[in-house]
Amino acid sequence: MTVNTLRLLIDRLERERQLEKSEFITLLEAYQNPELAASLAQRAGAVRDAAYGRAVFLRGLIEFTNFCKNDCLYCGLRHSNREVERYRLGPEEILERCRLGRALGFRTFVLQGGEDPYYTDERLVEIIVALKAAFPDCAVTLSVGEKSRESYERYFRAGADRFLLRHETADPEHYGKLHPPEMSLTNRQRCLFELKDIGFQVGAGFMVGSPGQSFASLADDLLFLQKLSPQMAGVGPFIPHPRTPLGAYPAGSTELTVFILGLVRLMLPRVLLPATTALGTLDPQGREKALNFGANVMMPNLSPLEVRSKYDIYTGKIHLDEEAAEGLDRLKKHLAQLGYETPESRGDFKAFC
Ligand code: 5AD
C-alpha cells in the first residue's frame, strides 16, 4: 500500500475518530514507514494543540505500596518475586509528599500501588479524605487495581477524582498468557466500565510489545479504547524484568509505542495522554518523541527517595533526574525549550471544547 493510501486512513481516523480493526492493523503494520509516522505525528500534535493548547500537565506520582497479591507474569512486583524488599507508606508520609508536591506546583497526586490488602477501603478512604481536606485545589488519582463497585463508590464519595487501571491487553488469549488463571480480562473491563459509570475520570491502557502480542491484539486494544472512551490512556512499552517469567523477552519498540500514541490521540482528541516513564526508560528521547505524537501528560516521581528503587516494576526504571520531583525545574525548562507550557492546574479532562 502506498504512503498516500495509508495517509487517507489517518485522515479518516481524524475525521471520524474510528476505523475498522483491519484498517488499524494495516496502519500498525506500516509503523516503520518514516513518512507515514511523520504525517501521523503532525496530525496528532495538531489535534492535541487544538484540544489543550501547548499545555503539558504534570502529576506527582506517589508509589505508596509495593506489596501485591497478584502474580502478573510481566511485573517485577508480582507476588512470586521474593527478592523485592516490600514497603508501605503511612498516611502521614503520603501527606508529607503531597505537601512537598503542592509547593513544587503539582495539582494532581497519583496514588499508585500494588494490590495490597493491607489498604482496606477504610484505610484508603481515610487517606483520600485527608488529602482532599489538606489540598482542596488538587485532584486525587487512584491506581490501586481491581475492586468491587462498592469499594470504588466509597473512594469516589470520599473525594477521589480519577482512577487509572490499564486493561493491559484487550485480546483474551493474550491476556491469558500475561496473567495467572485467577485473573480475568472480563473482570478488569467490568471495573473500568463501573469506574466510568460512578463518575471517575478513568484511565485505561496497555503495554506495547509484550511477549506474544500481535498487531491484531494491538488493534483490539485500540477498539477497546474506542468503546470505553476513557478520559486518560496510559500506553507504554513492555520492558522485561529478570525476576519474572517473561524476563528473557525483548522490550517493546519506542517507534511503535509513539505511533500508537498518535493513533490514540486522533481517536480520542481530548484524552489525557502521558509520555510514560517506561518510554523514558527505554529511550532517553522517548518522552520527547511521545510529545511529538500528541502526548500531554507527565508523571514525575514524588515517592520518598528511599523507596523509589524498590518500586521495581521493570528493569532500569528511571526515577531520579527529570522524571523525579527533584528534577522538576529542569523538566519544566526542557519542556519550555520544546515549546510546551506546564500550568499549575489540575489538568482535568475537558468534556467540551
Ligand atoms: N514493562 C512495562 N510496563 C509494565 N507494567 C508492569 N510491568 C511492566 C513491564 N515489565 C505496567 C503495567 C501496569 C503499570 C503500572 O505498569 O501496564 O498497569
Side-chain angles (χ1 to χ4, degrees):
M1 214 177 270
T2 65
V3 174
N4 280 335
T5 322
L6 293 165
R7 280 197 185 116
L8 290 178
L9 284 179
I10 287 182
D11 288 347
R12 191 145 59 75
L13 178 60
E14 182 179 350
R15 244 187 356 262
E16 298 177 9
R17 301 180 185 181
Q18 56 183 333
L19 290 177
E20 301 291 329
K21 180 169 175 178
S22 61
E23 295 170 324
F24 276 130
I25 294 175
T26 301
L27 281 175
L28 289 166
E29 282 172 345
Y31 81 95
Q32 285 172 311
N33 181 319
E35 291 167 82
L36 180 69
S39 302
L40 175 59
Q42 194 266 328
R43 297 317 310 150
V47 167
R48 185 259 331 268
D49 291 355
Y52 289 97
R54 296 293 288 176
V56 172
F57 301 106
L58 303 177
R59 325 294 199 193
L61 176 65
I62 302 176
E63 298 153 333
F64 71 96
T65 170
N66 69 352
F67 282 81
C68 192
K69 67 177 168 67
N70 291 337
D71 218 21
C72 307
L73 275 73
Y74 44 84
C75 182
L77 299 184
R78 66 200 304 265
H79 179 71
S80 303
N81 183 5
R82 304 290 149 144
E83 295 193 21
V84 184
E85 205 185 311
R86 305 282 173 174
Y87 72 88
R88 294 186 173 110
L89 302 183
E92 206 29 68
E93 279 173 294
I94 297 174
L95 268 164
E96 188 51 42
R97 296 312 291 179
C98 294
R99 248 174 245 129
L100 170 69
R102 193 177 179 293
L104 288 169
F106 291 111
R107 294 295 178 270
T108 291
F109 302 114
V110 180
L111 298 188
Q112 184 172 90
E115 290 199 18
D116 180 359
Y118 170 85
Y119 292 92
T120 55
D121 288 352
E122 289 69 26
R123 288 193 168 116
L124 278 177
V125 162
E126 185 194 321
I127 294 167
I128 298 162
V129 168
L131 287 180
K132 294 300 284 190
F135 313 105
D137 58 346
C138 295
V140 170
T141 303
L142 298 178
S143 178
V144 297
E146 298 177 27
K147 309 269 178 178
S148 66
R149 184 179 178 112
E150 292 67 40
S151 296
Y152 290 146
E153 281 170 347
R154 289 176 72 175
Y155 310 152
F156 190 70
R157 279 200 305 272
D161 302 275
R162 310 186 189 133
F163 202 105
L164 304 179
L165 182 74
R166 288 187 176 181
H167 64 277
E168 309 297 0
T169 171
D171 169 349
E173 207 187 307
H174 189 225
Y175 192 95
K177 297 205 170 118
L178 298 180
H179 298 94
E182 62 274 14
M183 291 181 75
S184 87
L185 176 59
T186 320
N187 191 50
R188 208 151 177 97
Q189 297 192 348
R190 185 263 315 153
C191 290
L192 282 162
F193 285 105
E194 285 183 357
L195 285 161
K196 201 163 178 230
D197 188 51
I198 290 167
F200 282 103
Q201 293 173 50
V202 170
F206 51 97
M207 287 179 293
V208 175
S210 56
Q213 189 177 49
S214 59
F215 288 124
S217 350
L218 286 167
D220 283 337
D221 288 319
L222 292 168
L223 293 176
F224 177 71
L225 290 185
Q226 206 163 64
K227 182 164 141 207
L228 176 68
S229 192
Q231 289 85 0
M232 305 171 282
V235 179
F238 164 74
I239 302 178
H241 187 295
R243 297 265 166 265
T244 63
L246 304 180
Y249 285 88
S253 128
T254 303
E255 278 60 44
L256 180 56
T257 305
V258 297
F259 191 89
I260 290 173
L261 290 177
L263 296 178
V264 173
R265 170 60 67 201
L266 295 188
M267 197 168 71
L268 304 169
R270 286 163 289 145
V271 76
L272 291 155
L273 194 62
T276 61
T277 307
L279 204 49
T281 299
L282 188 64
D283 175 346
Q285 259 82 58
R287 290 187 302 173
E288 204 168 311
K289 291 178 188 166
L291 295 174
N292 290 339
F293 279 80
N296 65 342
V297 171
M298 285 199 188
M299 297 167 61
N301 198 316
L302 187 57
S303 308
L305 271 168
E306 62 276 14
V307 306
R308 275 184 211 169
S309 60
K310 297 176 191 159
Y311 204 82
D312 189 19
I313 302 183
Y314 47 78
T315 316
K317 183 165 148 275
I318 48 174
H319 54 77
L320 293 171
D321 212 40
E322 286 189 17
E323 49 287 338
E326 303 77 54
L328 197 61
D329 272 349
R330 245 169 303 143
L331 175 63
K332 287 183 176 174
K333 285 201 185 97
H334 187 182
L335 288 171
Q337 279 163 8
L338 299 172
Y340 296 101
E341 296 149 22
T342 45
E344 287 186 5
S345 68
R346 286 171 40 128
D348 282 296
F349 178 77
K350 272 195 195 177
F352 306 98
C353 62

